[in-house]
Amino acid sequence: AKVLANAANVLFITGAGMSADSGLPSYHGVGGLFERPLVDDGLTLEAVLSPAMLAQRPDVLWRYVHERELACRHTVPNRGHEVLALLGERIARTVVVTQNLDGLQRRAGSKRVIALHGDLHDLRCTACTWTKTVTDYATLALPPTCPKCGAMVRPGIGLFGEPLAEQPFTEFEAEVARGFDLVFLVGTS
């Protein structure tokens, strides 16, 4: 606490364990998403959330993504999210780098959040430059199509087997290059 009280630059790296107290299961461990049956028999999480599934069976991918979005929609940021947001108001430079797709850290009020794996609420067209951030999927036809060109829309998350978006990593590297007084790992190994 003394070191934190004297820090002017703090980095928090968060993972699925951060959102567990909000009721969202982590990916690994007891009750994790890798353990539970998925939307279609015999499919692994990696198969459902893949570029191949998006291309061949977008309904399956979107059914699973919608299930995750519904879980996120009905949760609220927990005390951990709130504390990081409060620290962000008190510490000159606070950066949260998250592996989570749920958007809870931003909803808690954190100003500087880098979502390495994307956010379920960010949508983008697979054919043109159309993008949109939505509060929830309540008004979306699933699978959604682009209002600009009619092509398929995808969630703005990294799918298994494809490279993650470059921009969050570029931001993260720039922040690390500036340096931090303290780094915390929260809910991730």
Side-chain angles (χ1 to χ4, degrees):
K2 186 183 285 188
V3 174
L4 181 59
N6 293 318
N9 302 285
V10 180
L11 170 65
F12 294 93
I13 300 174
T14 68
M18 182 71 176
S19 295
D21 282 350
S22 291
L24 296 176
S26 64
Y27 286 87
H28 301 283
V30 177
L33 294 175
F34 280 111
E35 284 190 348
R36 61 184 275 275
L38 293 178
V39 288
D40 284 1
D41 293 335
L43 293 175
T44 65
L45 186 64
E46 292 93 341
V48 170
L49 294 177
S50 70
M53 190 65 67
L54 180 64
Q56 297 163 8
R57 295 280 317 274
D59 59 309
V60 172
L61 178 135
W62 274 102
R63 195 166 47 226
Y64 178 77
V65 171
H66 182 242
E67 180 184 304
R68 290 298 294 164
E69 185 276 324
L70 275 173
C72 294
R73 187 186 317 174
H74 298 295
T75 60
V76 295
N78 63 53
R79 187 65 181 145
H81 296 112
E82 293 167 355
V83 166
L84 295 192
L86 288 170
L87 287 170
E89 294 173 6
R90 292 184 171 94
I91 298 171
R93 181 170 150 255
T94 301
V95 178
V96 179
V97 173
T98 187
Q99 301 168 69
N100 297 336
L101 310 172
D102 55 39
L104 289 174
Q105 194 60 59
R106 282 193 181 100
R107 282 176 43 200
S110 288
K111 304 290 187 264
R112 184 68 176 116
V113 178
I114 300 171
L116 292 179
H117 296 195
D119 188 313
L120 287 170
H121 303 94
D122 295 335
L123 307 176
R124 69 178 191 258
C125 181
T126 57
C128 75
T129 59
W130 180 88
T131 62
K132 184 175 184 178
T133 298
V134 296
T135 304
D136 58 47
Y137 294 177
T139 61
L140 293 181
L142 297 175
T145 56
C146 178
K148 188 174 172 183
C149 75
M152 187 180 346
V153 167
R154 64 168 286 165
I157 61 173
L159 300 177
F160 288 99
E162 70 180 2
L164 293 173
E166 208 173 297
Q167 186 238 354
F169 287 94
T170 302
E171 288 180 46
F172 177 53
E173 289 171 349
E175 294 289 357
V176 168
R178 290 178 62 192
F180 291 100
D181 302 324
L182 202 53
V183 176
F184 288 88
L185 295 178
V186 184
T188 184
S189 55

